[in-house]
Amino acid sequence: MGIAADIVVIVVAALIGGLIAQRLKQPLILGYILAGVLVGPHTGGISISDSHDIELLAEIGVALLLFALGLEFSLKELQPVRKVALIGTPIQILLTMAFGYAIGRFFGWERDAALWFGGLISLSSTMVVLKTLMNQGILGTLSSRVMIGMLIVQDLAIVPMMIVLPQLKNPAAGLPILGVAAVKATIFLVLMVVVGTRLIPWLMKRVAAWNSRELFTLAITAMGLGIGYGTYLFGLSFAFGAFVAGMILSESDYGHQALSDIIPLRDIFGLLFFTSVGMLLDPAFLLSHFGQVLAIVALVILAKAGIFAAVTRAFGYVNVVPLAAGLGLFQVGEFSFVLARVGIATDSISQELYSLTLTVAVVTMLLTPLFSSLTAPIYALRKSRFKHEPLQTMNIPDQGLRDHVVLAGGGRVGRYLANVLQRLDIPFVIIELNHWRVEQAKDDGFPTVFGDATHAVVLEAAEIHRAKLLLITTPVAVTASAVATQVHALNPELRIIARASSIEEMQLLHEEGVYQVVQPEFEASLEFTRQALLYLNMPVNKIQWYTDAVRRELYSPLYEGELGYQAITQLQDATRLLELSWVALSGESPLLGKNIGELRVRSHTGASIVGVLRRGEMQTNPPPDFRFSANDLVGVMGEPEQLTAFQDLAEGRPVNP
């Protein structure tokens, strides 16, 4: 079966490796890489017949990953990190190359070989870092944006490095080639900005008009890979073209759907990439050069982590960002494999240096999820032992905050709440870790603290000890629980309202001392029900009675033992006897043109008119001479039967005595 059999072996091996990694609570990519080691040509067991073809398919995985990355990004989102990406990354590459050169000379390598090694280790892995950030759920944070911005520039740097490094023996010959590549890249970007921004959305609009999910998925796949292949023929990076295509498409109305459709393809071909990386690792070479590999891996991790941390710090990033960049970007990347192949093809590096570089790359990739996961605990330890760095805050009143509402999360729900609180002139502050959301809140003029709400220093910056209420808007119950635990340690009396997606999560949050838990899906179903019953002409009071009963049935088991909840329930039961209902007067209502006095509403129905809304203006407690007009919205209070009687009166039906 040839390559088909190879793909079957890889997929099955990756599944087994993924299951083992999942069982051990490790990132799936570790399982994929180890699966590649087992089925690779160096183990002697079940192996791949043609690893070269698999590597070619893996390149599609890299392209699809960058295409998806482009769909998730926009030029606007990259603006905050443009300086460190465009200026800091070249500095990082040069510093890492210098360090790699020093390592090579230390081990006695020739000058050119040492320079090649420096170039090979200077690049980090976009694939590994992105997958790690996704698994950790921190893809939208400032740290992740800084890392991704630097990774993108690194991926672009592969083009000049592939031209310059083979010309080390004759540098002058490589300059014209580099100039041609720069011109090509400029032409491509200009064409994509001028033509692509108009042509791609136009094409997607035509495809979407056919209402075929299959054609839409095929169109976006062909667009990403096709443009990537076009850039390859043009002499540029395949993955670079796919990334630019994704960014262009993300600015259209079809970006979100395109992203959701491309994710399954991205994950399948990404699997092939990670297994192909594992196939490159020769266990025999690792064992025979164990001491050298161990020393180089340790030096690379320490040096690259330090360089990335120093560069990001030099560009003004503080708090957790330098630490996250250092522990996330230290590995040797997948484009180093491409560069190493160029070195072999041009006789610039030896087979031993090639194998050594690949081994170091695979080992550092394997270590990335582990080291990256240490960011939070190391940062927490650092904050507990050393002086806190100042937090970034926006739009905080000069007089500070007092009796305010703290919103833990500035996503869609948090922004809705912030808009309402702002209109009601209720003081509030948002705590948000996603840098893009922070920028949005800043533009809207919302008081905002940039940071993680699970950390005490961040909560203190939001003046949690003087707050009146905390609203945790995150849908992740574990995070909400961590926030609640930290808040109770700082302000035990503070009332907390959070959200949950299940009864189990509601119970968990309640046990953590959360005052009220909201289940969005449940509340949405009640609103669907309410709207449907309104359309079916069911009286408003009956709809309210039903929804309250269902809501009480769900929530009461959690709070039935609490006096506060019992009091609220009793109050609801009492007020239900005298409910407020709003009745719209149609153009055919017999009440039109008549005043309240002559209608004797109280005598006939027992209900009381407490207000009338007319053309946006509220008339409270209207006098007896008040006359009704068409489209008036009449507020009526009374028992359910009395409200029903007024509804009948307003619609011209007989009123039961």
Side-chain angles (χ1 to χ4, degrees):
M1 292 178 63
I3 190 173
D6 290 343
I7 292 175
V8 171
V9 172
I10 288 174
V11 171
V12 173
L15 173 61
I16 296 172
L19 291 173
I20 295 173
Q22 185 74 17
R23 186 65 181 269
L24 298 176
K25 298 183 178 180
Q26 299 297 314
L28 295 180
I29 59 175
L30 295 184
Y32 298 159
I33 293 176
L34 292 176
V37 174
L38 293 176
V39 301
H42 308 292
T43 56
I46 299 176
S47 63
I48 303 302
S49 59
D50 193 347
S51 59
H52 178 68
D53 288 342
I54 300 300
E55 292 170 5
L56 293 177
L57 290 175
E59 291 184 16
I60 298 178
V62 177
L64 287 174
L65 179 80
L66 289 180
F67 180 54
L69 176 63
L71 287 169
E72 293 184 277
F73 269 77
S74 67
L75 293 173
K76 185 184 298 183
E77 290 179 312
L78 289 176
Q79 285 292 322
V81 298
R82 63 185 183 280
K83 289 184 179 179
V84 70
L86 297 176
I87 302 174
T89 305
I91 296 173
Q92 171 266 318
I93 291 175
L94 292 175
L95 290 174
T96 308
M97 288 184 68
F99 178 79
Y101 176 80
I103 291 179
R105 299 299 285 174
F106 176 80
F107 282 102
W109 302 342
E110 296 182 356
R111 179 184 63 89
D112 291 350
L115 283 173
W116 265 93
F117 182 73
L120 291 170
I121 68 170
S122 66
L123 304 176
S124 303
S125 175
T126 303
M127 228 20 196
V128 172
V129 173
L130 279 180
K131 204 67 175 177
T132 301
L133 293 174
M134 291 175 187
N135 292 339
Q136 293 177 349
I138 57 172
L139 197 55
T141 62
L142 178 59
S143 302
S144 69
R145 296 192 183 279
V146 170
M147 287 190 280
I148 291 171
M150 299 184 78
L151 286 168
I152 291 169
V153 176
Q154 282 190 354
D155 293 341
L156 299 179
I158 186 67
V159 177
M161 293 177 71
M162 290 173 63
I163 297 170
V164 172
L165 287 177
Q167 305 295 330
L168 288 176
K169 296 181 179 179
N170 187 13
L175 292 178
I177 303 175
L178 182 60
V180 172
V183 171
K184 289 181 178 179
T186 303
I187 294 173
F188 170 71
L189 290 174
V190 170
L191 286 174
M192 290 299 293
V193 172
V194 176
V195 180
T197 53
R198 296 173 175 80
L199 181 61
I200 290 177
W202 181 84
L203 287 174
M204 296 310 303
K205 183 178 181 180
R206 296 297 182 275
V207 173
W210 294 332
N211 292 320
S212 172
R213 182 72 175 267
E214 292 83 0
L215 285 176
F216 186 86
T217 304
L218 182 61
I220 60 175
T221 306
M223 190 171 298
L225 297 180
I227 294 175
Y229 185 64
T231 58
Y232 170 76
L233 296 177
F234 201 53
L236 300 173
S237 169
F238 185 14
F240 171 58
F243 171 74
V244 175
M247 288 192 66
I248 297 296
L249 186 56
S250 71
E251 301 296 330
S252 72
D253 297 333
Y254 309 97
H256 295 295
Q257 184 61 44
L259 178 62
S260 67
D261 286 354
I262 207 69
I263 284 176
L265 280 174
R266 178 200 68 186
D267 291 342
I268 291 295
F269 280 94
L271 177 152
L272 293 177
F273 168 78
F274 286 111
T275 52
S276 70
V277 169
M279 289 162 52
L280 297 173
L281 183 61
D282 185 356
F285 180 88
L286 176 61
L287 292 174
S288 61
H289 296 76
F290 184 78
Q292 186 182 29
V293 170
L294 184 63
I296 292 176
V297 167
L299 290 171
V300 168
I301 292 175
L302 291 173
K304 290 192 70 174
I307 290 171
F308 275 108
V311 169
T312 52
R313 186 63 185 252
F315 278 82
Y317 295 96
V318 294
N319 297 308
V320 75
V321 176
L323 181 63
L327 295 178
L329 298 175
F330 66 84
Q331 75 289 129
V332 180
E334 59 271 3
F335 281 114
S336 298
F337 306 152
V338 178
L339 190 60
R341 291 195 189 102
V342 174
I344 286 289
T346 58
D347 294 324
S348 299
I349 62 175
S350 64
Q351 184 63 44
E352 183 176 351
L353 180 57
Y354 177 79
S355 299
L356 179 64
T357 303
L358 295 187
T359 304
V360 170
V362 173
V363 173
T364 53
M365 285 182 177
L366 283 168
L367 293 174
T368 298
L370 173 63
F371 277 66
S372 182
S373 66
L374 298 176
T375 301
I378 292 176
Y379 183 62
L381 179 64
R382 174 187 163 190
K383 288 194 302 178
S384 64
R385 298 291 181 87
F386 301 97
K387 182 180 178 181
H388 300 321
E389 294 172 334
L391 289 169
Q392 183 183 2
T393 60
M394 285 76 68
N395 304 316
I396 302 294
D398 296 335
Q399 68 275 19
L401 297 163
R402 181 180 291 276
D403 295 331
H404 57 289
V405 179
V406 178
L407 300 174
R412 289 191 300 270
V413 175
R415 287 174 60 82
Y416 294 150
L417 290 169
N419 279 306
V420 173
L421 294 173
Q422 189 179 58
R423 292 180 181 180
L424 297 174
D425 291 327
I426 297 174
F428 69 93
V429 62
I430 298 173
I431 300 176
E432 177 56 57
L433 188 58
N434 185 305
H435 191 262
W436 175 239
R437 293 174 181 171
V438 170
E439 291 296 316
Q440 285 184 311
K442 179 182 177 182
D443 294 339
D444 292 336
F446 296 154
T448 307
V449 175
F450 172 73
D452 189 343
T454 62
H455 295 162
V457 65
V458 177
L459 293 169
E460 290 169 357
E463 301 192 56
I464 197 71
H465 60 285
R466 299 201 296 183
K468 197 171 185 177
L469 181 67
L470 170 65
L471 306 178
I472 306 175
T473 64
T474 177
V476 183
V478 177
T479 304
S481 177
V483 174
T485 302
Q486 190 67 258
V487 168
H488 279 307
L490 299 172
N491 188 352
E493 303 301 322
L494 185 65
R495 288 293 179 90
I496 303 174
I497 301 176
R499 58 188 289 194
S501 57
S502 66
I503 296 294
E504 292 76 19
E505 290 182 357
M506 293 173 66
Q507 185 67 48
L508 169 67
L509 293 173
H510 179 61
E511 292 173 356
E512 292 293 340
V514 175
Y515 170 69
Q516 185 70 41
V517 183
V518 178
Q519 192 177 0
E521 292 80 4
F522 173 75
E523 297 295 337
S525 68
L526 284 186
E527 182 61 20
F528 269 108
T529 303
R530 194 179 74 84
Q531 294 293 338
L533 295 178
L534 282 172
Y535 182 79
L536 296 173
N537 295 320
M538 181 174 286
V540 175
N541 58 300
K542 291 185 178 180
I543 297 174
Q544 190 65 42
W545 182 90
Y546 172 77
T547 54
D548 284 348
V550 174
R551 184 180 287 107
R552 190 167 61 253
E553 182 180 351
L554 175 68
Y555 291 117
S556 61
L558 299 178
Y559 308 100
E560 59 186 1
E562 298 186 7
L563 295 177
Y565 183 82
Q566 291 178 359
I568 293 174
T569 302
Q570 292 171 2
L571 181 62
Q572 290 176 338
D573 292 338
T575 56
R576 190 173 294 113
L577 300 175
L578 292 174
E579 292 180 357
L580 176 65
S581 179
W582 293 92
V583 179
L585 301 184
S586 67
E588 300 178 355
S589 175
L591 274 59
L592 303 183
K594 298 180 180 179
N595 62 44
I596 297 175
E598 66 182 290
L599 289 171
R600 300 173 62 191
V601 173
R602 183 67 182 267
S603 302
H604 286 93
T605 66
S608 299
I609 298 175
V610 296
V612 178
L613 184 63
R614 176 180 293 174
R615 292 187 294 274
E617 296 183 2
M618 174 62 71
Q619 173 71 50
T620 58
N621 296 318
D625 60 349
F626 182 88
R627 295 187 179 276
F628 294 110
S629 300
N631 301 317
D632 281 350
L633 195 61
V634 185
V636 188
M637 181 170 286
E639 298 178 3
E641 295 78 9
Q642 296 170 340
L643 299 180
T644 301
F646 180 83
Q647 184 84 29
D648 293 338
L649 180 66
E651 296 178 1
R653 294 189 295 268
V655 178
N656 295 325

